[in-house]
Amino acid sequence: MTRGARLVVLGKQGAGKGTQCVRLSHYLAVPHISTGDMLRAAVKAGTEFGQLAKAYMDRGELIPDDVILGIVEDRLAEPDATRGFLLDGFPRTTVQAKALDEMVGPKAIDLALDLEVPTELVLQRLSSRRVCSTCGANYSLEVPPKLNWTCDLCGGEVVQRPDDTESAIRRRLDLYEESTAPLLEFYSDRNLLSVVDGVGTPDEVMERLVEVVDRARTSAG
Ligand code: AMP
């Protein structure tokens, strides 16, 4: 990993991936590329594409592979991604993982991290999750912003995500098992997979992630 890390972070939605990915990308000094964040930005901008994406997202469905692949390919072509990248929420299907190999080369991914959290805990976290509608910062019913559901960071309104309804959550978890879980084998077959326990405080989980990443960097020289 001497030329800058190229990481893929897998894991069920609600496993605390978003927050940890931001921290890990800072630690590694590489851009955090979240397909979910990119899609939410398009929804917010009100583009035609954003409206189409919203219909899938609100139902907990996956955006079609060819659409997501176009977005990711454009993003990886931006200059900052030559330093490396941390992909959050992509790939989510085997088609996407194979296409990623084609985009960056089959040996270019250094590490795939799977943040492992039991389904019951994920369900609990997703239903209590709240996010800032302006900057996307994460909160929860247990850890709300300091003042009246107003974001501590930017003053935006803190709300429940429109795709955090019970039916959409259930659909996303089913799709995870069906489409995304097979990627664990995909990356493990390539000796790239590290499973990290995602249960614990954010600092505890971050410590585990850093340990795994540092180990991978040392062994890659
Ligand atoms: P996330 O923020 O990663 O939880 O993603 C939110 C939603 O965006 C997902 O439930 C999907 O509808 C859509 N999405 C994000 N990434 C992808 C992807 N790689 N492939 C298909 N749909 C995606």
Side-chain angles (χ1 to χ4, degrees):
M1 280 206 230
T2 43
R3 54 158 160 62
R6 289 172 166 176
L7 260 72
V8 162
V9 182
L10 308 166
K12 299 181 191 96
Q13 290 183 316
K17 250 186 319 118
T19 313
Q20 299 296 351
C21 283
V22 172
R23 295 175 72 178
L24 200 56
S25 71
H26 291 166
Y27 179 74
L28 292 166
V30 295
H32 167 225
I33 301 180
S34 154
T35 41
D37 284 352
M38 288 158 81
L39 293 166
R40 278 183 290 278
V43 171
K44 207 164 162 202
T47 60
E48 203 177 310
F49 167 68
Q51 284 169 22
L52 180 86
K54 183 171 167 43
Y56 284 95
M57 293 163 82
D58 285 356
R59 292 198 314 270
E61 297 292 338
L62 293 177
I63 308 292
D65 286 330
D66 55 337
V67 177
I68 279 289
L69 289 174
I71 296 176
V72 172
E73 190 155 22
D74 286 351
R75 179 63 187 88
L76 291 180
E78 284 179 31
D80 62 344
T82 54
R83 287 204 314 270
F85 48 76
L86 187 153
L87 284 169
D88 169 9
F90 178 92
R92 259 181 162 97
T93 65
T94 309
V95 170
Q96 293 178 13
K98 286 184 178 158
L100 177 63
D101 275 358
E102 275 170 34
M103 283 179 222
V104 297
K107 299 224 169 82
I109 299 297
D110 299 302
L111 188 62
L113 291 169
D114 174 40
L115 207 50
E116 181 56 42
V117 175
T119 302
E120 294 102 84
L121 191 56
V122 161
L123 277 169
Q124 201 181 312
R125 282 188 188 174
L126 283 176
S127 49
S128 103
R129 173 162 76 177
R130 298 294 181 269
V131 293
C132 171
S133 54
T134 304
C135 74
N138 269 287
Y139 298 94
S140 66
L141 292 179
E142 294 78 30
V143 188
K146 291 194 187 75
L147 206 74
N148 210 11
W149 297 105
T150 300
C151 180
D152 293 341
L153 304 178
C154 76
E157 192 188 357
V158 174
V159 297
Q160 185 162 32
R161 258 171 61 165
D163 60 344
D164 279 346
T165 59
E166 204 187 318
S167 66
I169 290 172
R170 198 162 300 132
R171 180 67 185 139
R172 271 145 63 201
L173 286 171
D174 285 350
L175 275 176
Y176 172 84
E177 293 303 334
E178 209 177 287
S179 305
T180 310
L183 294 185
L184 300 181
E185 202 177 318
F186 180 93
Y187 285 111
S188 141
D189 285 350
R190 287 162 176 70
N191 282 324
L192 291 175
L193 182 72
S194 284
V195 179
V196 175
D197 179 6
V199 180
T201 65
D203 285 347
E204 283 165 355
V205 176
M206 179 66 189
E207 219 170 278
R208 290 174 206 145
L209 288 167
V210 165
E211 204 181 301
V212 168
V213 165
D214 282 347
R215 208 182 311 131
R217 286 165 122 189
T218 313
S219 63

